[in-house]
Amino acid sequence: MRKIIHLFVALFASNLLLFAQTKPSDNFLAGKPGFYVLSSELLREMKTSEKPDVTKIYGKIKIVDSFPDYKVKVVSNFADLHVKVVSSFADEPGKWQMVESFPDFKIQFVESFPDFTIKFVESFPGKP
């Protein structure tokens, strides 16, 4: 009797794991709505797509302590974005004009769990 109970528990757990790795689909391969199993490649692609497109983060930036648009960590090596602080014409990726009102983006500097990392530079701002 115990073996049968363990078998049912194992089947239930495996089905639960399979369901946890499925994603609703409106148009996947055959174009039929339903569910499909996520492969490790699709999971990896989904995780990498969670990062914001740092080339679109430029313009007027306000530094805040709470309710930011992005959480950023300042690093000295291997940054996602090289940032140059400018006083005007922040119209290219990596050029930030620090403002106190009417910002394009609100940034909070953090030490852990950042959305992306930056490095302050004097020349060649943008994606490294």
Side-chain angles (χ1 to χ4, degrees):
M1 184 69 175
R2 270 190 158 169
K3 289 183 180 180
I4 294 173
I5 292 174
H6 287 295
L7 178 66
F8 281 119
V9 169
L11 286 173
F12 177 74
S14 65
N15 287 335
L16 186 62
L17 287 174
L18 180 64
F19 182 72
Q21 293 181 351
T22 60
K23 179 180 178 189
S25 169
D26 292 331
N27 187 3
F28 183 73
L29 295 180
K32 296 179 182 177
F35 286 86
Y36 62 92
V37 178
L38 294 176
S39 68
S40 60
E41 182 178 319
L42 285 173
L43 285 172
R44 191 176 321 112
E45 185 177 310
M46 285 177 62
K47 287 180 184 176
T48 58
S49 67
E50 291 176 2
K51 281 200 167 195
D53 185 8
V54 294
T55 59
K56 295 181 180 178
I57 302 172
Y58 60 89
K60 297 178 180 177
I61 307 294
K62 181 177 181 179
I63 307 301
V64 296
D65 292 328
S66 58
F67 306 112
D69 294 326
Y70 298 105
K71 294 180 180 180
V72 176
K73 181 176 182 178
V74 179
V75 296
S76 58
N77 295 320
F78 307 111
D80 296 325
L81 180 68
H82 289 180
V83 173
K84 179 178 181 180
V85 178
V86 295
S87 58
S88 60
F89 301 110
D91 54 358
E92 294 177 8
K95 290 187 177 180
W96 289 9
Q97 179 182 357
M98 302 299 184
V99 296
E100 289 298 319
S101 57
F102 307 111
D104 295 325
F105 298 101
K106 294 178 282 184
I107 301 292
Q108 178 182 9
F109 291 125
V110 296
E111 287 299 316
S112 56
F113 307 111
D115 294 325
F116 62 94
T117 58
I118 64 168
K119 176 182 178 183
F120 288 109
V121 296
E122 292 298 320
S123 58
F124 305 112
K127 191 157 175 87

